[in-house]
Amino acid sequence: MEYLKLAVAHPSELRSLITYNVWRDPVHDFKRNPKDSGWDRERMRECWSFLDATSRSFAAVIKELKGELSRVICIFYLVLRGLDTVEDDMTLKPDVKIPLLLDFHKKLSEPGWNFTGSGPNEKDRQLLVEFDKVIAEYQMLNEGCRFVIADICARMGAGMASYIELGDSPNGLTMEGWRDYDLYCHFVAGLVGEGLSGLFVQTKIEKPLIGLQLSLSNHMGLFLQKTNIIRDYAEDCREGRSFWPKECWGSGGVFARQTEVQRGVVETYPGSNSYKFTDTVEGRKAREVLSTMLLDAVSHVTSSLEYLILLRDQSVFNFCATPQVMAIATLEVLVDNANVYKKNVKIRKSLAVRLILRSTNPRDVAGIFLDVGRSIHKKLRADDPNYIRCTV
């Protein structure tokens, strides 16, 4: 029935789904190169299993990277996922979490280290319980790759710790304005972009020029992170977190607290599980805030495209381009979408597959961005304050 609906509503996506699952061959298959990918070692195979468990979408593109780069990026991802798991765990007290974030990079030099203190419901708890396997594989990387991973882990951990308040201490960074928001996104995602660029160079897959693109690498990370932050707003609120900068709510006094947007601004469509904005001052303000957040995310698009143009290896290009086109497609779905304030909003899997098949060169990726950008502008209401500014 699902495929029948897809054939009627989105026939081109159904064709893409069939093409991807039946005829598409990966650029590189990590299992066919066991020496470089580590597939010939049981411990590294377990690390690949951790990657599958923590992120299926990233796992697919990582597995197609050329040579040893697939293994290097797998370990890099797992190290940062372990660090992120510590930050996200709301059961850890600040006096435990902050030292762990600050010293996490040092644990990479401690064979056998693991962490069993995560909350029982933490999604990636098992990764930290068996983190000694990740450390052992990290130790097998070349010196340049180890330096990049440890450096990014240290800077990211320090950045994450800076946003955690210890008791009544006022010294923690806050998400007051747009600059604070950019700084936070740099710590948790921009640094990932920098690290990836460094690893592309350390494995000699890309030229040294890529390692110097710190600004463009940062924009790549910020674009993905900001898209996720908008998409995950409702989930974050339920877990007691909020990453939208207070400045985005304006100074009009409509919302005294960010969480108030959860009440009275959306209503359910009769007989459905979807929401629409209420025709109230609060509802109109919530719509405006959403478009402002989307406009801020779109501001990184041009720099992301500039970075992609510099890449030379096909597997690296696919690895970098796929999340970017997913992000721009997600932003298009989020435009004027009241569901953002109540639940996670995702693009269709069939659409994601269609985008993957199209994202193989800079021209086609730019075409996708242009088409989606026009669609975003078309979906904005004429009375939206960002109507004129939101162009790609």
Side-chain angles (χ1 to χ4, degrees):
M1 182 60 69
E2 180 181 351
Y3 284 101
L4 180 60
K5 291 179 180 178
L6 194 61
V8 174
H10 307 282
S12 63
E13 293 179 18
L14 178 61
R15 288 194 297 270
S16 297
L17 197 59
I18 294 173
T19 299
Y20 185 85
N21 290 323
V22 178
W23 290 299
R24 179 182 178 273
D25 291 325
V27 179
H28 298 283
D29 187 344
F30 75 116
K31 290 184 180 180
R32 294 179 183 176
N33 189 9
K35 184 176 180 180
D36 283 340
S37 69
W39 192 251
D40 58 350
R41 297 191 301 277
E42 181 180 356
R43 186 180 59 207
M44 187 61 208
R45 287 198 297 272
E46 292 187 59
C47 288
W48 284 113
S49 297
F50 288 140
L51 181 65
D52 289 330
T54 54
S55 176
R56 290 190 176 185
S57 57
F58 273 112
V61 289
I62 290 175
K63 290 175 181 178
E64 293 192 18
L65 286 167
K66 184 177 180 179
E68 67 169 338
L69 184 59
S70 62
R71 175 169 56 94
V72 172
I73 300 300
C74 174
I75 297 303
F76 181 48
Y77 182 90
L78 292 178
V79 168
L80 298 188
R81 173 57 68 179
L83 181 68
D84 189 58
T85 300
V86 172
E87 187 210 18
D88 285 345
D89 192 343
M90 304 303 289
T91 68
L92 294 178
K93 295 181 178 180
D95 57 350
V96 174
K97 181 181 293 188
I98 292 176
L100 187 55
L101 290 173
L102 294 174
D103 293 338
F104 199 85
H105 67 287
K106 298 179 182 178
K107 308 303 181 184
L108 300 177
S109 300
E110 297 182 18
W113 182 86
N114 63 359
F115 182 69
T116 58
S118 298
N121 298 321
E122 196 63 31
K123 175 179 176 291
D124 297 320
R125 182 182 190 279
Q126 193 60 31
L127 171 62
L128 289 174
V129 171
E130 301 184 60
F131 202 73
D132 56 297
K133 298 173 182 176
V134 177
I135 293 175
E137 288 296 329
Y138 163 83
Q139 292 292 337
M140 295 183 66
L141 303 180
N142 69 54
E143 183 179 359
C145 290
R146 293 201 307 272
F147 174 82
V148 171
I149 294 174
D151 176 60
I152 296 300
C153 183
R155 293 158 64 192
M156 184 180 293
M160 289 175 171
S162 298
Y163 282 87
I164 299 174
E165 294 186 2
L166 183 59
D168 297 325
S169 171
N171 296 326
L173 297 178
T174 59
M175 212 74 73
E176 294 288 340
W178 292 107
R179 289 186 178 181
D180 305 314
Y181 181 49
D182 281 349
L183 181 60
Y184 175 79
C185 291
H186 167 71
F187 284 137
V188 300
L191 288 175
V192 178
E194 289 186 22
L196 289 172
S197 295
L199 294 175
F200 296 158
V201 174
Q202 291 297 329
T203 53
K204 300 181 180 179
I205 303 297
E206 289 287 349
K207 295 181 179 180
L209 171 67
I210 294 299
L212 301 176
Q213 305 306 314
L214 300 183
S215 177
L216 296 184
S217 299
N218 184 59
H219 281 291
M220 290 275 287
L222 263 61
F223 182 51
L224 299 182
Q225 183 65 23
K226 288 182 176 182
T227 299
N228 291 339
I229 284 176
I230 299 170
R231 182 198 65 190
D232 297 339
Y233 175 82
E235 179 181 335
D236 287 333
C237 283
R238 285 194 296 271
E239 296 183 5
R241 301 188 296 260
S242 183
F243 298 105
W244 291 22
K246 295 180 181 179
E247 187 177 349
C248 79
W249 304 104
S251 57
V254 176
F255 302 115
R257 295 182 301 276
Q258 294 185 39
T259 51
E260 287 188 3
V261 79
Q262 295 275 59
R263 301 189 296 271
V265 301
V266 299
E267 58 188 3
T268 308
Y269 277 111
S272 73
N273 191 33
S274 296
Y275 298 88
K276 62 180 180 179
F277 290 104
T278 57
D279 188 19
T280 61
V281 172
E282 292 80 9
R284 290 189 290 273
K285 179 63 177 179
R287 175 185 276 122
E288 177 186 329
V289 168
L290 176 59
S291 73
T292 301
M293 291 294 295
L294 293 171
L295 175 62
D296 174 69
V298 169
S299 69
H300 302 285
V301 162
T302 303
S303 295
S304 296
L305 290 174
E306 290 177 0
Y307 181 89
L308 294 176
I309 292 172
L310 298 175
L311 300 174
R312 292 294 176 263
D313 181 79
Q314 186 64 59
S315 69
V316 172
F317 180 87
N318 293 352
F319 170 77
C320 294
T322 296
Q324 298 291 315
V325 295
M326 297 299 180
I328 193 69
T330 300
L331 289 182
E332 192 270 338
V333 175
L334 298 175
V335 174
D336 202 30
N337 191 338
N339 290 321
V340 171
Y341 292 108
K342 287 295 185 178
K343 59 184 181 180
N344 281 24
V345 180
K346 298 182 179 181
I347 61 176
R348 297 182 301 276
K349 180 180 179 180
S350 55
L351 174 58
V353 168
R354 183 165 180 260
L355 292 173
I356 291 173
L357 294 177
R358 290 181 59 193
S359 307
T360 57
N361 61 77
R363 174 174 289 185
D364 287 345
V365 170
I368 292 172
F369 273 59
L370 182 60
D371 291 342
V372 175
R374 288 170 175 168
S375 178
I376 289 175
H377 190 260
K378 186 180 296 184
K379 290 177 69 173
L380 287 176
R381 295 161 58 100
D383 60 351
D384 191 301
N386 298 310
Y387 182 77
I388 301 295
R389 299 173 58 209
C390 195
T391 56
V392 177

